[in-house]
Amino acid sequence: MSIQQVSSFAAGQWITPGAGARNIASAITGDVIAAAGNDALDVQSMLDHARSVGGPALRALTFHDRARMLKALAGHLNQHKQALYEASFDTGATQNDHIIDVDGGIGTMFVFASKGRREMPDGQVYLDGDVEQLSRHGTFLGQHICTPLQGVAVHINAFNFPVWGMLEKLAPTLLAGVPAIVKPATNSCYVTELAVRLMLDSGILPLGALQLVSGGLGNMLDHLGMMDVVSFTGSANTALKLRSNPVILENSVRFVAEQDSLNGSILGPDATPGTPEFDLFIKEVSREMTTKAGQKCTAVRRIIAPDAQVEAVIEALSARLAKTTIGDPRLDSTRMGALVSNSQKRDVLEKAVIIGQEATRVYGDPDNFAVDGADANKGAFVPPMLFHCADPDNAQRVHDTEAFGPVSTVMGYRDVDHAVELVNKGQGSLVASVITHDPEVARQVALGAGAYHGRLYFNNRDSMKESTGHGSPLPHMVHGGPGRAGGGEELGGVRGVMHYMQRTAIQGSPDILSAIGQTWVPGGTEIKGPAHPFTRNFGELAIGETLHSPSRIVTLQDIETFANFTGDTFYAHMDDDAAKRNPFFPGRVAHGYLLLSFAAGLFVEPNEGPVLANTGLDNLRFMKPVSAGDSIKVRLTVKKKTPRNDEYGEVRWHVTLTNQDDEQVAEYELLTMNAF
């Protein structure tokens, strides 16, 4: 059998393994199938290439350009995912495991592409929060902006998810406008190399945006500077070693760590045998123990159940685990494959012995189990192993020792406070789950355990049909955790993009802020257009273009007609004496929504034109009541423009209503879709 030479991609060139190459064995057979690594990689050249070629090319694009790039990459990988499936079997993963890794990674990239288009501007500056009033008359303002770091992101990934682990970091990095150097774990780097080749061969990425190190990084971290980022996934010990690099400390290099943790799952006191919640709990824990052969940073390591239900949990879980067919992952009948390597197998068995010092193994014998279609001694196979800790309060190893495989420990709790105390003994976890139908139990756990966990997952009969599972990090939600879990955050939508950007406070006049953020700021220069703005298409409208309407008097008849027509006869509009007793009103006042209707009548252009639809309004505030006899007028300003496709774009209008004394009575942002 030929041995695959897993290459690196450095400074635009593929480089085959050389001196220092390491052999990679199949998790199924133990035979050498590949080699990776080259001590001659010029790491400084790689960093320079990313900073001088990849970075400028990415930063020249807008967020929407980068989002479209991500969407195209995800689509290209989706067309070739079968090849990624086939390459992944030798990691010990089953077809279902591939779907989590490959499809999950592609799906994550699609989500970031969507969020980039929907939640970020079609520009190069991201506005973080509202404008801050720093002066009495609004001529000196402040705002926070985010711009791409002008360095390189070094991604150091774990072996368990060679595709998802890369793409969940790569998507927000590229969306931010920062080039990446990806270093996958050597044991499964041949899968990552294929994914990188597919992306590079597509021609979608700018030159220098993505490089790959198959094998060791060498001294690359010694060459990082203040504009660079290290994003790491792996063990706490390795993370500590890397983040302690003197250069990283001296240059304040950002270090984002997502570490393995002793995640727990709590069975609520209401979830007794026979309830949907009890059955759900058994199903979830069993799945988390066996998916990817337990090699998930989010897998359930501690099973926390009411004292009265411990035996029932052990019995039900053992029965379910007994149905797990272990074998060659290529077989359709296999439900759990192998660990990634025999060295990982040795590590898991050693950690299981340590856990066994404080807990009794109640299911699974690593010396006596069946493997279908493969040799249990040659391959990296282990059975699911369930332990029971009778004294979790005085135990230590079950709360600080992780066997990174299909190993978990059951322990009992007295009450919910005790369950919270036990789950927090992990000293920081990526996720804890609670299976309960009692909202008060969920609230108690959230208040007591939230600070110790990056994610809390609640599930019960109401949500279980659509829930995604305890161990599934979602691109929309933060993935990370405090303490032992690394103290970092990944994913989380646009939050994840911010790891690769610098937040900067800017201060200046409204025109200065408007120019930097490409978003009109109240108080900025108003532009008078050549015609009514609703007659001008998307491309013709300019930021700051403003319409001032004539005024309209609001009469008592208007107020009463609106009240009777809509049914809104709230006393403040209909009863003068009652309204006067309200400290907010001088007497009967106009409905807020009446004012909005009148405002639309004052600024709308009724004829057919480029305005296709009114899609909503944001940030509505009523500042001063309007009484019968008062007049109102409208200022309508183009605040922001966002293309949506080749046919139309979204226009955000800043709308201000003022009375006869030029006092502001209402303010909001109108959204319309305008044709190009």
Side-chain angles (χ1 to χ4, degrees):
M1 181 180 68
S2 61
I3 296 177
Q4 179 183 351
Q5 302 297 299
V6 185
S7 298
S8 298
F9 187 74
Q13 301 292 325
W14 284 103
I15 300 175
T16 56
R22 171 182 156 189
N23 288 334
I24 304 170
S26 166
I28 305 169
T29 64
D31 297 332
V32 174
I33 58 170
N38 192 319
D39 290 347
L41 281 182
D42 186 345
V43 297
Q44 186 62 61
S45 176
M46 295 180 71
L47 294 169
D48 290 344
H49 184 67
R51 293 168 182 152
S52 63
V53 179
L58 287 169
R59 292 194 298 274
L61 304 174
T62 68
F63 290 109
H64 285 202
D65 292 333
R66 298 172 206 146
R68 285 187 284 267
M69 179 181 69
L70 291 180
K71 183 178 180 180
L73 282 174
H76 184 74
L77 288 173
N78 203 46
Q79 294 174 358
H80 296 86
K81 62 185 181 182
Q82 187 60 44
L84 293 169
Y85 293 162
E86 293 299 328
S88 298
F89 280 118
D90 273 307
T91 68
T94 66
Q95 179 61 36
N96 285 336
D97 295 335
H98 301 338
I99 292 173
I100 296 171
D101 183 32
V102 177
D103 293 56
I106 294 170
T108 294
M109 189 167 270
F110 273 127
V111 168
F112 274 97
S114 175
K115 285 189 168 290
R117 288 290 304 278
R118 294 179 179 276
E119 300 177 25
M120 304 187 82
D122 189 28
Q124 294 153 321
V125 174
Y126 179 79
L127 300 181
D128 182 22
D130 296 328
V131 172
E132 298 288 345
Q133 191 88 6
L134 304 180
S135 63
R136 182 175 182 180
H137 298 293
T139 61
F140 185 66
L141 305 171
Q143 192 164 33
H144 292 90
I145 65 170
C146 296
T147 53
L149 292 174
Q150 297 182 24
V152 59
V154 179
H155 295 167
I156 304 172
N157 297 323
F159 63 77
N160 49 345
F161 289 105
V163 178
W164 178 87
M166 171 179 63
L167 298 183
E168 63 98 8
K169 291 184 177 69
L170 187 61
T173 302
L174 295 178
L175 185 55
V178 176
I181 296 175
V182 174
K183 186 265 181 274
T186 305
N187 280 331
S188 55
C189 68
Y190 50 91
V191 181
T192 308
E193 188 227 40
L194 175 58
V196 169
R197 282 187 183 274
L198 289 169
M199 288 190 285
L200 293 175
D201 289 347
S202 72
I204 296 168
L205 284 169
L207 187 64
L210 174 61
Q211 298 178 79
L212 172 70
V213 175
S214 298
L217 276 177
N219 66 346
M220 183 178 288
L221 301 189
D222 296 337
H223 297 271
L224 300 184
M226 59 172 288
M227 283 287 123
D228 302 319
V229 184
V230 176
S231 185
F232 169 81
T233 299
S235 72
N237 289 336
T238 303
L240 178 61
K241 178 181 177 181
L242 295 178
R243 74 162 84 229
S244 299
N245 181 297
V247 172
I248 288 178
L249 295 175
E250 180 180 354
N251 292 329
S252 298
V253 176
R254 297 189 191 192
F255 192 96
V256 183
E258 185 263 286
Q259 301 167 186
D260 305 329
S261 59
L262 277 296
N263 311 297
S265 186
I266 299 173
L267 178 67
D270 57 301
T272 56
T275 63
E277 285 71 32
F278 184 89
D279 294 340
L280 172 63
F281 182 78
I282 299 302
K283 179 181 179 180
E284 288 250 14
V285 171
S286 173
R287 181 173 60 198
E288 290 304 316
M289 287 183 66
T290 56
T291 298
K292 291 289 290 187
Q295 297 170 113
K296 293 172 60 181
C297 55
T298 53
V300 174
R301 305 302 181 193
R302 296 174 300 147
I303 305 165
I304 303 169
D307 284 333
Q309 309 305 336
V310 167
E311 288 302 321
V313 167
I314 292 173
E315 180 180 349
L317 188 52
S318 297
R320 190 173 183 92
L321 292 173
K323 299 177 182 178
T324 302
T325 304
I326 306 168
D328 186 329
R330 296 182 181 88
L331 299 176
D332 292 339
S333 59
T334 295
R335 292 296 172 264
M336 189 178 89
L339 301 178
V340 74
S341 66
N342 276 306
S343 63
Q344 183 64 22
K345 174 180 178 178
R346 288 190 294 272
D347 182 73
V348 167
L349 294 178
E350 289 169 2
K351 297 294 175 54
V353 170
I354 294 173
I355 293 171
Q357 295 171 4
E358 297 176 341
T360 302
R361 193 176 72 235
V362 293
Y363 180 83
D365 183 353
D367 295 321
N368 184 20
F369 66 101
V371 174
D372 288 356
D375 189 327
N377 295 317
K378 293 182 178 179
F381 297 95
V382 296
M385 287 177 276
L386 184 65
F387 289 81
H388 172 226
C389 178
D391 187 11
D393 292 320
N394 294 309
Q396 180 178 348
R397 299 284 81 87
V398 297
H399 301 299
D400 69 11
T401 300
E402 180 182 32
F404 200 70
V407 181
S408 194
T409 303
V410 180
M411 58 195 73
Y413 69 84
R414 298 181 297 275
D415 53 31
V416 176
D417 285 339
H418 187 213
V420 168
E421 180 184 341
L422 291 177
V423 78
N424 289 350
K425 278 181 173 288
Q427 292 300 301
S429 298
L430 297 171
V431 56
S433 57
V434 185
I435 308 300
T436 180
H437 199 240
D438 187 338
E440 283 305 311
V441 170
R443 182 177 185 275
Q444 192 172 347
V445 174
L447 291 174
Y452 283 77
H453 297 83
R455 177 165 57 94
L456 292 176
Y457 166 88
F458 298 95
N459 202 1
N460 57 34
R461 68 191 72 178
D462 300 328
S463 55
M464 61 185 187
K465 289 184 178 180
E466 293 188 317
S467 64
T468 51
H470 163 106
S472 299
L474 298 176
H476 318 70
M477 309 297 291
V478 164
H479 177 51
R484 181 190 172 97
E489 292 182 350
E490 295 178 341
L491 301 177
V494 175
R495 297 175 187 85
V497 182
M498 295 301 107
H499 295 307
Y500 304 96
M501 305 187 78
Q502 175 62 43
R503 182 181 291 106
T504 304
I506 61 171
Q507 298 169 299
S509 69
D511 282 344
I512 294 295
L513 268 61
S514 297
I516 292 173
Q518 293 296 288
T519 301
W520 184 79
V521 174
T525 299
E526 298 176 9
I527 300 171
K528 182 175 177 56
H532 192 291
F534 279 19
T535 66
R536 290 156 53 69
N537 63 32
F538 182 88
E540 294 171 334
L541 288 170
I543 302 294
E545 189 168 327
T546 301
L547 169 73
H548 288 272
S549 81
S551 62
R552 170 173 181 159
I553 295 175
V554 179
T555 68
L556 185 61
Q557 183 179 354
D558 291 332
I559 296 171
E560 292 183 345
T561 299
F562 189 84
N564 293 323
F565 180 70
T566 63
D568 182 358
T569 55
F570 184 62
Y571 72 85
H573 311 306
M574 305 301 289
D575 186 331
D576 195 60
D577 291 337
K580 287 178 179 177
R581 289 192 292 271
N582 187 317
F584 290 101
F585 304 122
R588 293 178 68 178
V589 297
H591 306 69
Y593 299 110
L594 169 61
L595 300 179
L596 295 186
S597 299
F598 280 175
L602 289 169
F603 66 66
V604 75
E605 162 57 47
N607 296 313
E608 182 180 3
V611 177
L612 305 177
N614 175 343
T615 58
L617 57 85
D618 290 337
N619 305 318
L620 172 63
R621 293 188 304 142
F622 297 112
M623 287 88 96
K624 187 177 179 65
V626 173
S627 303
D630 289 346
S631 65
I632 61 168
K633 57 186 175 181
V634 179
R635 181 186 68 194
L636 177 75
T637 304
V638 178
K639 180 176 182 178
K640 185 178 180 180
K641 296 166 56 182
T642 305
R644 290 305 182 200
N645 56 34
D646 294 335
E647 298 179 358
Y648 57 83
E650 178 186 89
V651 179
R652 182 175 290 269
W653 309 80
H654 186 268
V655 186
T656 303
L657 280 66
T658 52
N659 63 16
Q660 65 279 358
D661 298 319
D662 288 328
E663 298 171 316
Q664 200 163 310
V665 299
E667 182 181 53
Y668 61 96
E669 294 176 3
L670 172 71
L671 303 176
T672 64
M673 290 298 176
N674 288 45
F676 276 101

